[in-house]
Amino acid sequence: MTKPKRTHPLGLLQHIAKSIKDYWFLLILVFTNHDHTSIWFWGIMIILIIAFFVWPLAKWLTLTYVVAPDAVVVHSGVFVRHHEHIPYARIQTVQSKQWFYLRPFKLEEVLIETASHSDSAPEARLAAVPITVAQQINHYRQAPAATSAPDPTTDDATPTTAPAAVTDTPAAYYQINYRDLVKFGLTSLIFIPFLLVLLGLYNKVPRNVTDALVNDASHLGLTLLIGGAIVIILIAWLGAFLWTLTRYYHFELSRAGHQLVTAKGLFQRNTVTAPLDRLQGVRIKQNILRQWLRLQTVQVLVASKAASDDDDNDLVVMPVIDSAIVYDTMQPFIQWLPDHQPDLSALHVARSWYQIRNTMLVVAVPIALLWWLWPSWGWISLLLLPIAALQGRFAAKNTAGARLSPQLLALQTGHFWERELYYIPTEKIQSMKLTRSIWMKRTHLAHLVVNIRHGNHNQAIELRYLHADAAHAIYDWYLHRT
């Protein structure tokens, strides 16, 4: 039997970093306590040393792993020992994260996920292991029966046969170019969270400083105030652009055997391997900027948290691509996708007025509150009404769907100025629900909800205010499918 191995000593640094992330508040308690002679100060210091150094060292010393021909076995636990046996058939994704300081040592962090976890933690996390570990795991996942058991006298991190995912020529390969990467960064709406962060930092500035800034700005005129707001937005946009460039730097997508492999990142190279038969669906999405430029982003839905850092927690397999070539480009990677844009008119919104009415009712509450609290500024809130009406019309116009084949369903939704088109294999549908209120029966309308697995939770795809007959046709097909 192969002897269990510990991770590299550099893995201890990652355990320490995680402890600092979890117990950072202890540092605040130390710095805010000015009485260095009190028993409380030294008590906190002892707890801090244990939390930041002793406990991570104990966790590193007690964690061992074995990459066997039939499963990955992980032993962990300081006071309570845990022994996890993870068969390759149960693995959803294998994720490799290689920080820049691990590259000279040919080490990386490996995260193994199955569909059994309901929280954000992976099934197994191996910090600072040789890069051959992930290669060997992926090799066993592709051909578990054809791989012989390793020699007990050899290093278990070295595969007995060459991993197919590494040595074989990929069946399909794509690498993003600089121009597409710039398009992806410039058309990302992630600058909005960056803008909120900047506004949050403004609230952390001392009150006397902000008051002085406001008083100085009041004498500069409306033009300079608007110019200052534009500068803040540009700073947020630039920050989001640089973040996107470093995160998706040198993005690569390949298909080796029955697995999709994505790799990206400048400071941290993040590689995710997902079996094609474990994909829950494909999502093609466009925010409003990319709709104007006819660009799309392609993502796959997997039953793990390996893509928790990606957009909407879905694994990005094509960051940005022209709408005219998206199906020709994706077909070699996911062959059950259609080879052209399908007709989705079978499911459509019968009366768009209902969507417009709902969005306007949503903004009616903040408008009423603004009129009540600040009457002199209430008229500005009226601008929300036409924006809400346009959003409701956008949602209604982009709601569509069709049954493309007995094995494939296509559903399209529109919300928050973003169009999303889902391709869902029939066997991946967890459940389907058809709902009608007593008022909708009179107007012959219905809501259709399709549930699939998404990360470690459910993804509900809802198409609202459809023709009742069309929605019933899809629902009856799902009930009697073979």
Side-chain angles (χ1 to χ4, degrees):
M1 181 176 179
T2 305
K3 182 180 179 181
K5 293 178 63 67
R6 287 195 180 95
T7 61
H8 193 273
L10 283 176
L12 177 59
L13 296 179
Q14 294 187 259
H15 286 290
I16 293 175
K18 186 177 185 304
S19 293
I20 294 175
K21 179 181 177 181
D22 294 338
Y23 304 108
W24 57 269
F25 58 90
L26 294 177
L27 292 173
I28 297 178
L29 293 177
V30 171
F31 289 129
T32 55
N33 192 329
H34 300 289
D35 186 4
H36 294 179
T37 61
S38 67
I39 188 173
W40 292 107
F41 174 81
W42 289 107
I44 295 173
M45 284 294 297
I46 293 174
I47 296 175
L48 188 146
I49 293 173
I50 293 175
F52 287 175
F53 300 103
V54 178
W55 184 249
L57 177 61
K59 290 175 65 176
W60 177 77
L61 289 174
T62 55
L63 189 147
T64 58
Y65 68 96
V66 175
V67 181
D70 59 336
V72 178
V73 183
V74 180
H75 310 281
S76 62
V78 180
F79 299 112
V80 179
R81 295 294 291 168
H82 301 276
H83 306 279
E84 294 185 87
H85 184 274
I86 309 173
Y88 297 114
R90 301 298 181 186
I91 295 177
Q92 292 285 332
T93 56
V94 175
Q95 185 177 14
S96 303
K97 295 183 176 182
Q98 188 181 50
W99 282 100
F100 59 91
Y101 60 85
L102 294 178
R103 291 174 190 171
F105 304 96
K106 296 184 179 181
L107 301 173
E108 63 186 7
E109 181 182 17
V110 176
L111 292 82
I112 303 171
E113 296 223 28
T114 69
S116 63
H117 269 206
S118 59
D119 53 17
S120 60
E123 194 82 16
R125 182 191 299 268
L126 304 176
V129 295
I131 58 176
T132 52
V133 170
Q135 295 173 0
Q136 187 178 10
I137 292 173
N138 289 324
H139 174 57
Y140 285 141
R141 291 172 71 195
Q142 290 199 63
T147 307
S148 59
D151 187 350
T153 62
T154 63
D155 189 336
D156 71 304
T158 304
T160 56
T161 59
V166 176
T167 58
D168 289 355
T169 302
Y173 178 79
Y174 166 83
Q175 180 178 332
I176 196 169
N177 56 50
Y178 180 74
R179 179 178 297 178
D180 288 342
L181 184 59
V182 171
K183 288 181 182 179
F184 185 59
L186 292 177
T187 58
S188 175
L189 295 182
I190 199 172
F191 79 92
I192 296 177
F194 275 76
L195 183 60
L196 296 177
V197 169
L198 289 177
L199 294 176
L201 292 176
Y202 175 80
N203 292 329
K204 300 298 182 182
V205 177
R207 186 63 178 270
N208 58 340
V209 176
T210 58
D211 290 343
L213 290 174
V214 172
N215 291 332
D216 292 339
S218 61
H219 301 291
L220 298 177
L222 182 61
T223 303
L224 290 179
L225 289 177
I226 295 176
I230 293 175
V231 169
I232 293 176
I233 294 175
L234 290 177
I235 292 174
W237 201 318
L238 179 61
F241 173 72
L242 294 176
W243 183 89
T244 303
L245 254 60
T246 57
R247 185 166 189 79
Y248 288 91
Y249 174 79
H250 197 66
F251 178 91
E252 295 176 301
L253 171 67
S254 60
R255 180 172 69 85
H258 299 287
Q259 299 188 75
L260 281 182
V261 183
T262 66
K264 63 179 184 295
L266 177 60
F267 301 110
Q268 182 194 66
R269 194 68 178 163
N270 192 347
T271 304
V272 179
T273 304
L276 284 167
D277 58 355
R278 300 297 177 89
L279 302 185
Q280 305 301 303
V282 174
R283 173 163 63 180
I284 301 177
K285 61 188 296 185
Q286 293 175 291
N287 61 39
I288 191 166
L289 291 178
R290 291 172 184 158
Q291 290 171 39
W292 293 338
L293 298 174
R294 299 186 60 81
L295 300 174
Q296 295 182 330
T297 298
V298 183
Q299 297 173 283
V300 295
L301 282 68
V302 292
S304 76
K305 296 290 289 185
S308 59
D309 294 333
D310 278 5
D311 190 10
D312 292 328
N313 295 329
D314 290 328
L315 184 63
V316 173
V317 294
M318 197 67 64
V320 62
I321 185 172
D322 189 275
S323 301
I325 60 172
V326 60
Y327 294 99
D328 291 336
T329 305
M330 289 305 303
Q331 261 276 323
F333 297 97
I334 306 175
Q335 296 177 332
W336 47 261
L337 284 176
D339 57 3
H340 63 280
Q341 174 70 38
D343 180 15
L344 303 178
S345 59
L347 296 175
H348 65 277
V349 173
R351 301 182 182 182
S352 59
W353 158 247
Y354 291 105
Q355 298 276 40
I356 297 173
R357 177 202 61 187
N358 290 351
T359 54
M360 294 181 71
L361 288 176
V362 169
V363 301
V365 174
I367 289 175
L369 288 175
L370 192 58
W371 272 99
W372 180 48
L373 296 175
W374 297 284
S376 60
W377 294 91
W379 62 272
I380 298 180
S381 64
L382 295 179
L383 295 175
L384 295 176
L385 289 176
I387 295 175
L390 290 174
Q391 167 57 39
R393 184 177 181 277
F394 176 86
K397 183 180 179 181
N398 288 282
T399 298
R403 179 171 61 91
L404 304 183
S405 71
Q407 292 78 35
L408 189 62
L409 182 66
L411 301 173
Q412 181 175 280
T413 62
H415 57 90
F416 298 110
W417 305 107
E418 189 167 64
R419 179 193 297 134
E420 297 181 341
L421 175 56
Y422 294 86
Y423 291 103
I424 309 166
T426 305
E427 69 272 11
K428 301 301 182 181
I429 298 176
Q430 301 294 319
S431 64
M432 188 177 293
K433 181 171 66 173
L434 188 69
T435 60
R436 300 178 68 186
S437 66
I438 57 176
W439 298 279
M440 294 174 67
K441 290 181 180 180
R442 180 177 58 83
T443 54
H444 302 286
L445 300 176
H447 301 324
L448 183 67
V449 181
V450 177
N451 295 294
I452 59 176
R453 187 69 186 267
H454 177 205
N456 289 333
H457 58 274
N458 177 65
Q459 169 76 50
I461 306 170
E462 183 177 13
L463 277 66
R464 299 174 61 81
Y465 299 107
L466 304 174
H467 278 290
D469 293 340
H472 270 290
I474 296 294
Y475 185 73
D476 293 338
W477 158 77
Y478 176 72
L479 290 179
H480 300 95
R481 72 191 191 285
T482 56

